[in-house]
């Protein structure tokens, strides 16, 4: 496959490297000038592209940028991209970092991004920590393989996404439509809690609509009170304490 990735940060760089290692042709972009981007791309086994070129002549596109940066993307970025190209979004919204966005009281985070991009998309790789993605992948069928949920409205696109997730070392669970993707947003039991397929299905079902933002902020407030930036273990433990955020 030919894959374009926008963002070479924590998540985008791991995905680029994994897909390139698996034999896919990967193009990447970020905000850097071309000489620096070329060096980053070469380390990942990818090629460097401008924002406009990274979405051209590809089978799949992955947006992996800070939530607040999407609104500044060119409105016509995906205008010429054929509808059979699978578009993925890995983003998560944290108001302390991304600012208050009142629309998110009515729609899911990825519906908001879909509106900005004027394009249906698949929400994936948002509910796995960078550390987990980097270190905890296993081969298909391995005991205790961690699962990632996939939300979106196009079943064919979700199949392609599931194959890509498998390449990164994780199982998948279909989390329903993009409108249902609140079940995998920050503050839910399915958010970065490192669960296997059966546990993740259960966690998605256990999510309570409207409760996640308060739990997300509770967890984040606790993590931000720590003297030094929390470790992977502390973040995972914090996410797993979501029940506390409900005052239970
Ligand atoms: N970190 C995690 O554990 C994790 C897990 C799951 C999901 N997520 C979510 O996934 C998204 C990416 O996370 P991350 O941790 O990988 O972020 P990150 O490390 O901050 O990287 C963000 C990347 O986006 C690029 N970028 C920003 N604005 C851009 C623009 N206008 N055009 C092109 N590229 C742009 C940045 O470019 P430069 O390199 O030039 O600055 C950088 O490469 C976020 O929404 C995050 O919430 C993160």
């Amino acid at each position: 496959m030919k894959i374009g990735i926008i963002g070479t940060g924590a998540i985008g760089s791991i995905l680029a490297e994994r897909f390139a290692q698996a034999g896919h042709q990967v193009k990447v972009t970020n905000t850097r000038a071309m000489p620096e981007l070329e060096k980053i791309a070469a380390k990942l086994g990818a090629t460097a592209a401008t924002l406009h070129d990274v979405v051209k002549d590809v089978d799949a596109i992955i947006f992996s940028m800070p939530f607040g940066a999407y609104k500044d993307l060119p409105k016509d970025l995906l205008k010429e991209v054929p509808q059979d190209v699978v578009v993925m979004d890995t983003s998560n919204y944290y108001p302390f970092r991304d600012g208050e966005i009142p629309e998110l009281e009515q729609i899911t985070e990825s519906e908001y991004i879909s509106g900005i991009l004027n394009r249906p998309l698949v929400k994936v790789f948002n509910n796995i920590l960078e550390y987990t993605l980097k270190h905890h992948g296993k081969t298909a069928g391995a005991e205790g393989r961690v699962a990632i949920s996939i939300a979106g409205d196009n079943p064919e696109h979700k199949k392609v996404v599931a194959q890509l997730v498998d390449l990164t070392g994780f199982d998948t669970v279909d989390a329903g439509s993009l409108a249902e993707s609140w079940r995998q947003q920050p503050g839910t039991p399915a958010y970065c809690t490192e669960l296997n397929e059966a546990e993740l299905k259960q966690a998605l079902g256990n999510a309570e609509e409207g409760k996640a933002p308060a739990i997300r902020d509770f967890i984040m407030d606790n993590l931000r009170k720590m003297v030094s930036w929390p470790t992977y273990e502390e973040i995972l433990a914090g996410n797993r304490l979501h029940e506390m955020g409900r005052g239970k």
Side-chain angles (χ1 to χ4, degrees):
M1 274 175 81
K2 295 183 200 165
I3 303 172
I5 302 182
I6 299 99
T8 58
I11 300 300
S13 63
I14 298 171
L15 297 178
E17 198 164 32
R18 292 280 159 84
F19 296 143
Q21 279 166 355
H24 292 304
Q25 286 177 44
V26 182
K27 293 194 269 191
V28 293
T29 198
N30 59 21
T31 66
R32 319 292 171 94
M34 203 34 97
E36 196 183 344
L37 174 58
E38 278 169 355
K39 282 186 201 155
I40 293 169
K43 276 192 194 151
L44 299 173
T47 54
T50 62
L51 182 61
H52 280 100
D53 285 343
V54 84
V55 300
K56 277 190 197 151
D57 186 29
V58 288
D59 306 299
I61 299 170
I62 304 174
F63 285 89
S64 192
M65 297 170 22
F67 199 84
Y70 286 77
K71 64 180 185 322
D72 300 322
L73 288 172
K75 301 288 166 251
D76 60 352
L77 182 62
L78 301 182
K79 200 169 162 216
E80 306 295 333
V81 174
Q83 288 299 321
D84 61 349
V85 173
V86 180
V87 182
M88 288 163 258
D89 170 36
T90 79
S91 72
N92 290 304
Y93 168 66
Y94 284 97
F96 83 92
R97 180 188 68 183
D98 304 314
E100 292 292 337
I101 304 179
E103 289 104 304
L104 294 176
E105 285 169 26
Q106 312 298 330
I107 55 173
T108 63
E109 292 164 16
S110 286
E111 285 179 303
Y112 174 81
I113 300 296
S114 174
I116 290 174
L117 296 172
N118 195 20
R119 178 81 188 204
L121 48 79
V122 178
K123 186 177 190 73
V124 65
F125 293 118
N126 81 296
N127 62 342
I128 183 156
L129 292 171
E130 170 198 0
Y131 187 94
T132 312
L133 188 59
K134 195 166 194 169
H135 299 289
H136 290 182
K138 292 183 177 182
T139 50
E143 176 88 23
R145 198 184 200 212
V146 172
I148 298 176
S149 48
I150 300 177
D153 301 326
N154 184 321
E156 292 309 312
H157 287 198
K158 286 203 276 192
K159 267 189 216 161
V160 174
V161 172
Q163 286 163 5
L164 289 173
V165 172
D166 181 51
L167 278 183
T168 66
F170 299 89
D171 282 339
T172 50
V173 171
D174 188 332
S177 66
L178 206 60
E180 286 174 276
S181 64
W182 59 268
R183 292 180 182 276
Q184 65 188 68
Q185 288 183 177
T188 60
Y191 181 73
C192 296
T193 40
E194 219 170 276
L195 306 173
N196 68 26
E197 188 182 343
E199 292 165 340
L200 182 57
K201 272 186 197 158
Q202 180 79 48
L204 289 162
N206 287 348
E208 293 180 68
E209 197 155 18
K211 298 243 169 125
I215 299 170
R216 169 200 66 203
D217 294 344
F218 173 86
I219 292 168
M220 201 39 79
D221 285 350
N222 279 346
L223 291 174
R224 291 169 78 207
K225 276 182 207 148
M226 299 181 82
V227 180
S228 54
W229 185 247
T231 61
Y232 150 75
E233 287 82 6
E234 287 164 341
I235 295 173
L236 183 63
N239 288 338
R240 286 178 171 173
L241 279 178
H242 58 84
E243 290 296 319
M244 276 176 62
R246 292 181 195 149
K248 284 183 183 172

